[in-house]
Amino acid sequence: MKTSIHSLFIFFIIFFIVLCFFDSTILSFGKKMGEQKAKETHILTIPVPAQGHINPMLQLSKRLASKNLRVTLVTTTSSRFTIQGLAETSSIKIEPISDGFETGVTLQNADEYSKRFRVVFPQSLAKLVEKYECSGCPVKFIVYDSAIPWMLDVARGFGLDGAPFFTQPWAVNAIYYHFHHGKLEFPVKGSVVSLPAMPPLGIDDLPSFISEPGSYPSFLDAVLNQFSNIHEPKWTLCNTFLELEDEVVNFMASKCPIQTIGPTIPSIYLDKRLQDDNDYGLSLFKPMTETCKTWLDSKEINSVVYVSFGSLAALGEEQMEEIAWGLKRSNFFFLWVVREPEFAKLPRNFPEETSEKGLVVSWSPQLEVLAHKSVGCFLTHCGWNSTLEALSLGVPMVAMPQWTDQTTNAKFVEDVWQVGVRVRANEKRIVTREEIEICIKEVMEGERSKNIRRNTEKWKRLAKEAVDEGGSSDKNLEEFVTQLLSS
Ligand code: UDP
């Protein structure tokens, strides 16, 4: 009797070990098959070739590649992006194709550029898709910038499917959506606009293409056109995160399928899960990295105001002068990015005369700057990338919006997320030196400063959690990839 219980026991142990072995073999076989399928799934990602659009698309591409997909980011031969910090071993491939232009898109040539781009780019893309077909790694899917919604038809012409990627927040997209559907029209009536799932908006809080009718008609067309075929794709990816905009995202999710997948900031600043992802990697301008770093290293914690208006904004001479004297009057250290074409607008000898307090550079490694301990606040135009970067790195903002979505972003920075103060322009639409001085002082050391710093810590934590394993953005991306692989 004792012997038979003993043998039964040994039998069960052996049976259990064999079962575990098969189970794990099947599991790892299944995993390997899944990885193999992912590696064979080739996605093209197509940004609008401007710095503020390419950065988020590049980061989305890296995240998709980290889920084992094969990803090729398609740029244009005319945009002279230099590869800065994109490791040679990078998980994604960069493929420039012709857009029929000698030089890239600028504010001055934007209309002509977009007309020509629409004709030439699809032809070049057709050749690329064919090349991949012949070389045995056919394209399965195209993720395109939402500002070029016609790319969905181009993809379908190749027998492929696609999804738009919105590089502006849903607070802004929703306003365009309502305008597109006639809920808002020119001229905007009243002094306060009420839209579903949004705080009351003053006219100045609306995107400038709407608050200033006729200012950039072709850009207005472009942002409204994002919604011309929004019901068609199965996915609508967006560079934001759910916790940041939950009300408007949940409301808009009843209109179209929304996947928030941001913030698209290099992983080292957030979850640190992507190896070697320390920088964006493609840059139109050469950053003065060493100069900025050495200068910042010599300053005390939270003592510097970092100033940048992004890659496109061109301020008037009078406004530049007010900023210059506002910075000087604030008496804080400042690091100011003035792109080369803008340099002539600085007051004469300003960099030399203020060299004790300030450093003027033509382009900075912005993420490194924002992450530096000596930076105490960011005087920003509130471009969406800059805003998300400041939110993700916990840097308080002085919001000085110029145009497009920046006005709405500034409203949210000040009133909704409460991570900064917005400057107000005078009747001549100039932000005076006094106003700049007051706002900088308020953010650096004023009454609201403590609350602002508390909030920046909160959003920094939530941004990291969103992209980290199991966070809202990570889950959305995982789901997108799973659905793509099973379609
Ligand atoms: N940027 C940078 N160095 C600078 C200024 C800006 O690297 O000196 C980067 C910044 O980090 C952001 C992008 O350029 O990712 C600007 O995008 P944003 O949407 O803020 O503004 P835009 O240039 O589109 O107006």
Side-chain angles (χ1 to χ4, degrees):
M1 182 65 181
K2 212 172 171 188
T3 327
S4 68
I5 291 178
H6 195 216
S7 346
L8 205 63
F9 181 69
I10 291 176
F11 170 78
F12 272 120
I13 296 269
I14 294 172
F15 179 73
F16 183 71
I17 292 171
V18 170
L19 196 72
C20 285
F21 173 74
F22 274 113
D23 213 31
S24 68
T25 312
I26 288 167
L27 264 177
S28 77
F29 180 70
K31 199 170 160 219
K32 280 216 175 85
M33 289 292 285
E35 278 174 16
Q36 189 53 33
K37 181 158 190 214
K39 276 189 188 129
E40 285 162 9
T41 303
H42 188 186
I43 295 198
L44 298 186
T45 51
I46 306 183
V48 164
Q51 192 74 63
H53 289 253
I54 202 151
N55 285 358
M57 189 65 96
L58 189 60
Q59 290 309 121
L60 169 59
S61 305
K62 292 180 194 167
R63 288 272 169 195
L64 289 171
S66 77
K67 309 260 178 216
N68 288 317
L69 301 179
R70 176 193 285 261
V71 186
T72 304
L73 181 123
V74 186
T75 58
T76 55
T77 42
S78 76
S79 46
R80 309 259 188 265
F81 283 106
T82 51
I83 296 192
Q84 310 262 357
L86 194 66
E88 286 208 347
T89 51
S90 172
S91 49
I92 60 165
K93 192 169 178 233
I94 310 288
E95 185 87 63
I97 62 173
S98 172
D99 52 0
F101 260 73
E102 282 299 305
T103 55
V105 61
T106 61
L107 264 188
Q108 290 71 36
N109 73 3
D111 282 356
E112 196 199 341
Y113 183 89
S114 59
K115 277 187 203 132
R116 190 91 154 269
F117 179 82
R118 191 167 181 162
V119 176
V120 179
F121 191 82
Q123 294 165 359
S124 315
L125 192 63
K127 286 187 202 141
L128 186 71
V129 169
E130 199 186 325
K131 180 183 106 177
Y132 283 128
E133 184 77 43
C134 297
S135 64
C137 48
V139 177
K140 167 148 189 188
F141 194 83
I142 295 184
V143 176
Y144 54 90
D145 194 303
S146 64
I148 41 176
W150 44 265
M151 198 57 82
L152 185 62
D153 288 336
V154 172
R156 288 184 175 163
F158 303 144
L160 305 171
D161 202 0
F165 175 43
F166 281 72
T167 60
Q168 294 185 343
W170 267 104
V172 172
N173 300 332
I175 297 174
Y176 293 140
Y177 176 89
H178 293 305
F179 198 90
H180 182 69
H181 285 277
K183 296 240 163 66
L184 261 175
E185 52 190 38
F186 287 140
V188 179
K189 295 189 189 75
S191 55
V192 175
V193 173
S194 299
L195 293 169
M198 298 271 278
L201 299 170
I203 304 298
D204 284 352
D205 302 329
L206 295 171
S208 67
F209 304 146
I210 292 179
S211 62
E212 294 167 33
S215 54
Y216 287 92
S218 59
F219 286 174
L220 178 65
D221 279 353
V223 291
L224 299 183
N225 265 334
Q226 299 180 107
F227 297 97
S228 57
N229 59 4
I230 197 70
H231 302 290
E232 293 182 38
K234 271 191 249 154
W235 302 277
T236 311
L237 307 171
C238 185
N239 182 20
T240 184
F241 58 104
L242 182 65
E243 293 73 12
L244 191 64
E245 300 197 87
D246 53 348
E247 276 188 54
V248 68
V249 168
N250 290 331
F251 175 80
M252 289 304 298
S254 62
K255 317 283 174 205
C256 55
I258 296 181
Q259 285 78 31
T260 52
I261 55 90
T264 56
I265 312 283
S267 179
I268 192 156
Y269 297 104
L270 294 166
D271 57 326
K272 301 184 177 39
R273 288 189 298 155
L274 267 57
Q275 259 197 350
D276 297 328
D277 187 23
N278 308 328
D279 198 357
Y280 287 115
L282 287 180
S283 184
L284 268 178
F285 311 94
K286 193 167 169 21
M288 297 172 65
T289 306
E290 270 320 299
T291 314
C292 292
K293 200 175 162 323
T294 313
W295 189 84
L296 285 172
D297 283 349
S298 70
K299 303 292 172 282
E300 285 187 3
I301 189 163
N302 284 348
S303 65
V304 175
V305 181
Y306 170 60
V307 189
S308 165
F309 292 87
S311 60
L312 288 170
L315 281 65
E317 214 166 307
E318 188 180 349
Q319 186 59 81
M320 288 289 275
E321 192 167 340
E322 293 304 309
I323 296 172
W325 300 131
L327 288 171
K328 185 157 192 276
R329 286 169 67 116
S330 80
N331 207 27
F332 286 104
F333 290 109
F334 63 87
L335 169 55
W336 186 3
V337 178
V338 181
R339 297 189 325 273
E340 256 156 33
E342 302 289 289
F343 204 79
K345 297 178 187 168
L346 284 175
R348 217 148 146 12
N349 298 333
F350 177 77
E352 296 77 20
E353 277 173 25
T354 51
S355 63
E356 298 262 292
K357 276 290 187 183
L359 176 68
V360 178
V361 295
S362 56
W363 194 249
S364 82
Q366 182 157 303
L367 285 162
E368 279 182 57
V369 170
L370 290 175
H372 200 285
K373 61 180 183 353
S374 65
V375 170
C377 90
F378 182 13
L379 172 57
T380 170
H381 69 317
C382 288
W384 185 232
N385 294 292
S386 295
T387 307
L388 264 185
E389 288 162 8
L391 279 162
S392 304
L393 294 167
V395 182
M397 285 174 258
V398 173
M400 189 167 161
Q402 300 299 303
W403 69 315
T404 171
D405 60 328
Q406 296 155 17
T407 35
T408 314
N409 302 340
K411 159 77 181 171
F412 276 67
V413 162
E414 184 177 48
D415 290 342
V416 180
W417 307 316
Q418 299 186 13
V419 287
V421 165
R422 178 181 180 174
V423 298
R424 308 284 154 189
N426 66 14
E427 61 293 343
K428 279 171 60 200
R429 310 192 65 179
I430 294 289
V431 181
T432 61
R433 58 192 76 182
E434 292 81 11
E435 172 73 358
I436 289 168
E437 176 194 354
I438 290 170
C439 291
I440 289 176
K441 285 185 171 160
E442 182 65 11
V443 171
M444 291 292 267
E445 60 191 11
E447 244 177 56
R448 279 188 274 175
S449 158
K450 266 202 184 129
N451 186 39
I452 287 174
R453 281 190 199 279
R454 245 195 318 274
N455 289 330
T456 57
E457 284 307 312
K458 178 182 96 180
W459 290 116
K460 180 178 171 180
R461 177 176 52 80
L462 291 173
K464 175 179 178 294
E465 284 173 10
V467 295
D468 212 343
E469 194 166 357
S472 56
S473 294
D474 182 56
K475 276 203 232 153
N476 284 340
L477 203 61
E478 192 71 49
E479 208 176 295
F480 168 64
V481 172
T482 308
Q483 288 177 12
L484 202 62
L485 291 180
S486 60
S487 64

